[in-house]
C-alpha cells in the first residue's frame, strides 16, 4: 500500500467554484502534513503546512483528521491561476529527526473561465 | 533571498555514461534532500544530508547512485552507468533543520531534467 494516496483527478471547475481534494496516509506515526502546488514542468512549491487539526490561509483551508488518517484541501472562489497539480505530503519521525517527505501522486486541477 | 539552485537544468546523456547533478541549497539550511520525479508521479525520496553526513540514503535505488556533500553546503548526486530508466527530473530541496515544525519546511529547487538515450 502506498504511503500517501490521493485521487489524481483531473478536476475541471469553473472560476468561482469551490473544490475539495482528499488524501489518506497509511502510517499512523506521520507527524507533519503539507500541501504543495506544482505547475507544469516546475518544482513543487509549499502551499500550506498543517501542524494541528487544520489551517486556513485566505481561500485555502486544509484539515487533518488523525483518527481517520485523512487530510483535505478546500479551495474557495477558484481562480484561473489555481490551475496546477496539488501534492499531498506527509513527514514522520525517524529517530530524533523529521527527514524525508512522502508524496502522493498529485491531483490535477484545471479552472476554466 | 536566493532559493535552491540546481545545475544543469537539462542533461541529455547516453546509456552507460556517468553524470553529476549539482544542488546549491538556501544559505544557512543545514539539511539537504534529493528526490526524483517521473512523469505523472509525485517526487520519490532518494537521500538526505544533515550537515556533511548522509542521514538517510534508503531511497537510493542501487549502488550506481551516490551523493556527497563534503562541506555541508553544495551537494552532488552522481549516477554511474546510466540506464534509460534513470530518466526523470531530479529535485533537490533544503530545510533549516530536520527538527520539524514551522520554519523547517522543505523548499525545492527547479530540478534537473535527465534524459538517458
Amino acid at each position: 500500500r502506498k504511503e500517501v494516496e490521493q485521487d489524481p483527478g483531473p478536476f475541471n471547475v469553473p472560476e468561482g467554484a469551490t473544490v475539495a481534494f482528499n488524501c489518506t496516509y497509511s502510517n499512523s506515526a506521520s507527524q507533519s502534513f503539507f500541501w504543495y502546488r506544482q505547475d507544469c514542468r516546475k518544482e513543487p512549491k509549499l502551499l500550506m503546512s498543517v501542524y494541528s487539526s487544520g489551517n486556513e490561509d485566505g481561500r485555502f483551508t486544509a484539515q487533518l483528521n488523525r483518527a481517520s488518517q485523512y487530510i483535505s484541501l478546500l479551495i474557495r472562489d477558484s481562480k484561473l491561476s489555481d490551475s496546477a497539480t496539488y501534492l499531498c505530503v506527509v513527514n514522520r519521525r525517524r529517530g530524533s529527526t523529521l527527514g524525508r517527505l512522502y508524496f502522493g501522486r498529485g491531483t490535477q486541477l484545471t479552472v476554466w473561465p | 533571498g536566493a532559493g535552491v539552485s540546481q545545475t544543469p537544468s537539462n542533461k541529455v546523456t547516453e546509456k552507460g555514461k556517468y553524470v553529476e547533478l549539482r544542488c546549491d541549497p538556501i544559505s544557512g539550511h543545514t539539511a539537504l534532500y534529493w528526490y526524483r520525479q517521473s512523469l505523472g508521479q509525485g517526487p520519490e525520496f532518494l537521500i538526505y544530508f544533515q550537515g556533511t553526513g548522509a542521514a538517510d540514503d534508503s531511497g537510493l535505488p542501487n549502488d550506481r547512485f551516490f551523493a556527497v556533500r563534503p562541506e555541508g553546503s553544495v551537494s552532488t548526486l552522481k549516477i554511474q552507468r546510466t540506464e534509460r530508466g534513470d530518466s526523470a527530473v531530479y529535485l533537490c530541496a533544503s530545510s533549516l533543520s530536520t527538527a520539524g515544525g514551522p520554519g523547517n519546511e522543505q523548499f525545492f529547487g527547479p530540478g534537473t531534467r535527465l534524459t538517458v538515450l
Side-chain angles (χ1 to χ4, degrees):
Chain A
R1 184 183 171 187
K2 286 187 69 94
E3 191 89 18
V4 180
E5 300 266 13
Q6 54 179 136
D7 180 350
F11 285 64
N12 296 300
V13 303
E15 267 188 296
T18 295
V19 61
F21 305 137
N22 302 319
C23 167
T24 56
Y25 59 95
S26 61
N27 195 310
S28 60
S30 298
Q31 291 194 275
S32 301
F33 307 89
F34 309 92
W35 285 97
Y36 278 75
R37 171 202 167 119
Q38 187 170 30
D39 292 288
C40 189
R41 299 180 76 86
K42 299 287 190 183
E43 73 272 24
K45 286 186 159 53
L46 181 64
L47 178 65
M48 296 186 78
S49 306
V50 188
Y51 294 111
S52 58
S53 61
N55 191 11
E56 184 172 328
D57 183 4
R59 298 183 294 109
F60 299 84
T61 301
Q63 290 197 308
L64 168 65
N65 183 321
R66 287 185 187 269
S68 302
Q69 295 180 202
Y70 170 94
I71 313 154
S72 65
L73 177 69
L74 185 77
I75 305 176
R76 289 180 297 277
D77 188 24
S78 299
K79 311 289 185 197
L80 296 177
S81 57
D82 294 334
S83 298
T85 296
Y86 291 82
L87 297 161
C88 178
V89 186
V90 307
N91 194 211
R92 56 183 161 86
R93 197 162 291 279
R94 185 174 186 263
S96 61
T97 63
L98 283 165
R100 61 185 293 180
L101 298 177
Y102 295 86
F103 286 81
R105 62 179 296 188
T107 298
Q108 188 180 341
L109 171 67
T110 300
V111 182
W112 45 273
Chain B
V4 179
S5 62
Q6 292 186 247
T7 55
S9 55
N10 280 283
K11 176 71 177 177
V12 180
T13 191
E14 293 178 343
K15 180 173 177 297
K17 299 286 189 186
Y18 168 83
V19 296
E20 288 190 352
L21 312 179
R22 176 190 163 108
C23 173
D24 203 337
I26 293 171
S27 178
H29 279 196
T30 64
L32 183 148
Y33 312 79
W34 285 98
Y35 297 84
R36 74 175 174 181
Q37 186 173 25
S38 301
L39 197 62
Q41 303 297 317
E44 290 184 328
F45 171 77
L46 295 174
I47 183 171
Y48 89 87
F49 292 86
Q50 177 60 52
T52 59
D56 181 358
D57 64 357
S58 62
L60 295 177
N62 51 59
D63 62 6
R64 295 186 298 105
F65 289 75
F66 189 69
V68 295
R69 195 186 185 201
E71 296 176 0
S73 179
V74 170
S75 175
T76 305
L77 178 66
K78 307 179 184 204
I79 312 175
Q80 297 178 319
R81 304 183 305 280
T82 51
E83 299 177 357
R84 292 195 182 87
D86 299 337
S87 296
V89 176
Y90 287 80
L91 294 162
C92 177
S94 70
S95 65
L96 198 58
S97 79
T98 55
N104 287 298
E105 294 88 353
Q106 294 184 27
F107 296 93
F108 284 80
T112 294
R113 185 171 299 275
L114 176 66
T115 304
V116 182
L117 300 176

